Amino acid sequence: MAHMLEQYGDMASFASLREPAWHGLGTVIDEAVSTQEMLDLAHLSGWNVRLEAVDLPGRSHRDYFATVRTNPFDGETDVLGVVGERYKVLQNEELFTFGDALLDGGRWETAGSIKNGTVVFGSLALERQIDVDPQGSADKVNTYLLVHTSHDGSLAIQASVTPVRVVCQNTLNMAVGYKGKGAKQSFRIRHTQTVQGKVQAAREALGIAHKYLDEFDKIAQEMIAKEINDQLFFDIVNAVYPKPEENAKGALTKWENKVDVLNDIYNGPTCVNIKGTAWGAYNALTERLDWYRNPRGGNAESVLAAASGFDPATTTAKNNILHVVKEVAFA
């Protein structure tokens, strides 16, 4: 997978705690550091994101503004996007301070920027590991608080609880229910608002009290307890990706290749302890989305966003996969 991290020479806007950076890029640290140090290591500090008036045909300069920053690598001024007059700038320091405040301080795991600096992200470890079938397969899921935003108006300010399966690092974002209501996984603030005063509301919405993770744990335990055979796995795959009736534009060949990849994942090392269960089927399907699919429009940044847990289209696809796996496996 291409990394698409922001890069300048041999430097990259990425830092990671005790985990190898994508393609060996960025800074890998061996022990926890402060929020400011994480920003510095990931080249996210001192951007001074600001608005500058722009002239667009037929529009007043008061209607639209360019978001610009001071490039952390060469000190030049970069244009990141064009936004409306109600847009409020958020500095990277404010985003990370917001994430810090949600946990009353925490351990930063990753930080970085992609899409030429327009999207910035960071993740904090939550002190909770989910052990799926601890007496049997002992599949482990780590949980993180992910904060991210854009500087071009394309994304809101967002904080999300994100489960990640340890053995293959694929995110397992899923919509879950809680006593008839949705257990919140994410909290958004529009760029027409400010983050000040939003910490308590975000804590409640995210369910830092672990309602979301409790429901996630329950679903995972139910799925790993449900045994399936190879034919049922194929039925699940075919329900998620129906076999084309004709080979128009190579559709059948593409489908066969997709099935082959899914079989390789399902029978491979990352699923060795969960194969033969609905949980194994779900993870094989989501792992392909995160790490094996061709990027949309050739844009590898979409793959990185999906694997990092903040691509809405991929999260929607994973929720559809969850629905199909449960529907077919538990029929």
Side-chain angles (χ1 to χ4, degrees), residues 243-270:
K243 183 178 181 180
E245 294 182 1
E246 300 179 359
N247 195 28
K249 297 183 178 180
L252 184 58
T253 301
K254 292 177 182 177
W255 178 84
E256 290 172 343
N257 290 338
K258 185 180 295 182
V259 172
D260 287 343
V261 169
L262 285 166
N263 277 321
D264 287 344
I265 297 171
Y266 183 63
N267 291 285
T270 59

Side-chain angles (χ1 to χ4, degrees), residues 232-246:
L232 194 51
F233 174 69
F234 176 79
D235 292 343
I236 290 170
V237 171
N238 198 42
V240 176
Y241 304 113
K243 183 178 181 180
E245 294 182 1
E246 300 179 359

Side-chain angles (χ1 to χ4, degrees), residues 119-132:
V119 174
V120 173
F121 65 91
S123 65
L124 287 146
L126 294 176
E127 297 305 321
R128 172 167 178 172
Q129 184 179 71
I130 295 173
D131 292 317
V132 186

Side-chain angles (χ1 to χ4, degrees), residues 19-201:
E19 293 288 341
W22 286 291
H23 291 249
L25 295 173
T27 303
V28 178
I29 51 181
D30 296 324
E31 57 184 24
V33 297
S34 69
T35 300
Q36 185 58 55
E37 288 173 320
M38 196 65 167
L39 286 160
D40 292 342
L41 290 167
H43 302 284
L44 296 178
S45 57
W47 283 22
N48 185 25
V49 181
R50 54 202 183 272
L51 300 179
E52 293 186 359
V54 296
D55 290 324
L56 295 177
R59 295 283 186 175
S60 165
H61 71 275
R62 293 186 298 273
D63 293 335
Y64 291 94
F65 296 84
T67 54
V68 302
R69 68 155 185 190
T70 300
N71 188 293
F73 298 112
D74 59 18
E76 298 293 326
T77 297
D78 297 332
V79 176
L80 300 177
V82 177
V83 297
E85 59 183 344
R86 297 179 59 210
Y87 183 91
K88 293 185 183 299
V89 166
L90 183 80
Q91 303 299 333
N92 296 340
E93 289 85 351
E94 294 177 285
L95 175 69
F96 277 64
T97 298
F98 177 62
D100 232 349
L102 290 177
L103 299 183
D104 287 323
R107 185 179 74 248
W108 287 102
E109 294 283 326
T110 62
S113 71
I114 60 173
K115 298 187 177 182
N116 296 316
T118 59
V119 174
V120 173
F121 65 91
S123 65
L124 287 146
L126 294 176
E127 297 305 321
R128 172 167 178 172
Q129 184 179 71
I130 295 173
D131 292 317
V132 186
D133 187 26
Q135 305 305 318
S137 61
D139 202 42
K140 297 185 183 300
V141 175
N142 285 339
T143 57
Y144 302 91
L145 176 69
L146 173 71
V147 291
H148 73 278
T149 194
S150 70
H151 292 304
D152 63 355
S154 60
L155 296 172
I157 303 157
Q158 184 165 328
S160 307
V161 174
T162 304
V164 179
R165 185 164 175 257
V166 172
V167 72
C168 57
Q169 293 295 298
N170 63 303
T171 58
L172 298 170
N173 294 340
M174 61 172 68
V176 302
Y178 178 73
K179 296 183 178 178
K181 299 180 180 179
K184 291 288 185 180
Q185 181 197 8
S186 63
F187 180 82
R188 293 178 177 85
I189 305 171
R190 287 193 289 265
H191 272 278
T192 54
Q193 303 171 303
T194 63
V195 297
Q196 283 72 30
K198 300 288 187 179
V199 170
Q200 186 56 39

Side-chain angles (χ1 to χ4, degrees), residues 128 130 161-163 172-186 205-207 210-223 279 282 315-316 318-320 322-323 326:
R128 172 167 178 172
I130 295 173
V161 174
T162 304
L172 298 170
N173 294 340
M174 61 172 68
V176 302
Y178 178 73
K179 296 183 178 178
K181 299 180 180 179
K184 291 288 185 180
Q185 181 197 8
S186 63
L206 286 170
H210 300 299
K211 290 179 182 178
Y212 174 82
L213 295 176
D214 286 344
E215 291 301 302
F216 177 94
D217 192 357
K218 178 182 176 183
I219 291 171
Q221 301 295 351
E222 290 173 349
M223 292 176 71
W279 178 246
Y282 173 71
T315 297
T316 298
K318 289 178 180 180
N319 285 328
N320 178 62
L322 175 66
H323 173 75
K326 292 173 69 177

